[in-house]
Amino acid sequence: MRGLIARQFPHWAGLPVRPVGRGWDNQTFRLGDRMSVRLPTAAEYALAVEKEHRWLPALAPRVPLRIPTPRAKGEPDEGFRFPWSVYEWIDGGPAGIDPVADLTGFAVDLAAFLVALRQVDPAGGPEPGLHNWFRGGPLRVYAPQARRAMEVLDGRIPRDTVTEIWYAALGASRESGPVWFHGDIAPGNLLVRDGVLAAVIDFGTCGVGDPACDVAIAWTFLSGASREAFRTTLDVDPGTWARGRGWALWKALVIRAGAPHAAHATAVEAERVIGEILTEYAESG
């Protein structure tokens, strides 16, 4: 890592470098006190580098929360074979670890961010594709995965109701044209500072298309009053809400089907999300 910085950005060569964490898509380091370095873990994830450098500066002034600010774009060399990025450091911890003081207030702030993001002019923005694993595209792209997961879980989930929810999501129509979306609104990408939502990070899956994928957090992290506040502020049509429910269901089914055993933490969390989906669907009538 130090050699990579020294070769391409020698003016930063003297800054301390320390690992922050290894995510699925990127390995992150802190560079000095004011910057972070993100190294894609595979060629597919490296496709997002150019996109983020092109679009994040355009999105930042139009949303109410802080988002990553690119400082420099690294090139592949003998020490690392993908393009990579240097960003300004953003203080805060992920919502899944750092406590949220008021979950309903958090939900309102998040929804307001997504509303503002949807209102940014989508002209020329990146359409769904391999660069973001087709987030923002039709949910049916993931239908084979969902069906296989339901087969694996047969007898462990109420399959008739789960199937009903899934096909309702697939059949839910869109009432608006393509808009900007984040694509991976999850606790790890929502930074909390002093108990309040402070920033939204990791725009590798962002693009222009159907924003329903951003609604999935209503079941994966929110519940009850916070979910209702999120829905009210987000102000999406019933079809978008149904498709968002489908995105959350697809991911939970796939995770649960792939978990090594029922007591594993990933299995427990996936079952919790499926339970939230079933409960909310029943209550929605």
Side-chain angles (χ1 to χ4, degrees):
M1 180 70 238
R2 291 182 184 277
L4 192 63
I5 294 291
R7 287 191 300 275
Q8 298 195 25
F9 305 108
H11 52 293
W12 291 331
L15 295 176
V17 178
R18 50 195 184 279
V20 175
R22 185 180 180 87
W24 190 265
D25 300 0
N26 291 273
Q27 187 172 10
T28 303
F29 298 83
R30 190 162 183 176
L31 177 61
D33 293 327
R34 298 182 179 180
M35 290 177 289
S36 64
V37 176
R38 281 164 57 85
L39 304 180
T41 57
E44 294 87 346
Y45 304 124
L47 294 174
V49 171
E50 183 66 35
K51 175 181 65 177
E52 290 183 336
H53 281 260
R54 163 67 179 86
W55 288 104
L56 287 179
L59 297 176
R62 294 170 172 82
V63 292
L65 295 171
R66 191 172 176 188
I67 66 175
T69 301
R71 291 286 302 274
K73 184 171 67 173
E75 301 297 335
D77 73 5
E78 69 272 16
F80 188 72
R81 60 194 182 101
F82 306 126
W84 51 284
S85 300
V86 180
Y87 290 96
E88 288 186 4
W89 178 260
I90 303 177
D91 284 326
I97 298 174
D98 280 23
V100 175
D102 173 12
L103 193 57
T104 298
F106 175 96
V108 169
D109 291 344
L110 176 58
F113 172 88
L114 294 174
V115 168
L117 184 62
R118 293 200 318 252
Q119 292 172 346
V120 177
D121 184 357
E127 297 179 355
L130 185 58
H131 68 94
N132 69 350
W133 305 100
F134 297 94
R135 296 296 195 278
L139 186 57
R140 64 176 177 270
V141 170
Y142 291 100
Q145 285 187 0
R147 286 195 298 268
R148 284 195 297 272
M150 283 188 265
E151 291 171 2
V152 170
L153 297 172
D154 194 24
R156 287 177 280 176
I157 57 173
R159 187 162 179 178
D160 288 347
T161 305
V162 167
T163 301
E164 179 181 321
I165 294 171
W166 176 247
Y167 280 102
L170 290 181
S173 60
R174 287 179 60 180
E175 297 182 8
S176 61
V179 296
W180 275 99
F181 61 86
H182 178 278
D184 191 15
I185 293 294
N189 294 331
L190 305 173
L191 298 188
V192 173
R193 189 165 58 247
D194 299 326
V196 176
L197 180 61
V200 180
I201 62 172
D202 196 350
F203 280 71
T205 53
C206 77
V208 168
D210 180 6
C213 52
D214 284 347
V215 181
I217 196 166
W219 297 272
T220 60
F221 189 63
L222 307 175
S223 63
S226 62
R227 181 186 294 133
E228 286 305 309
F230 179 74
R231 184 173 188 177
T232 298
T233 306
L234 198 60
D235 191 28
V236 294
D237 60 86
T240 301
W241 188 257
R243 295 192 306 279
R245 188 190 289 122
W247 279 102
L249 180 62
W250 155 71
K251 189 69 173 288
L253 288 172
V254 169
I255 291 174
R256 178 62 187 91
H261 51 76
H264 193 274
T266 57
V268 172
E269 175 60 14
E271 288 190 2
R272 184 195 66 79
V273 172
I274 294 170
E276 289 284 345
I277 293 168
L278 291 167
T279 299
E280 185 270 336
Y281 182 73
E283 291 174 349
S284 69

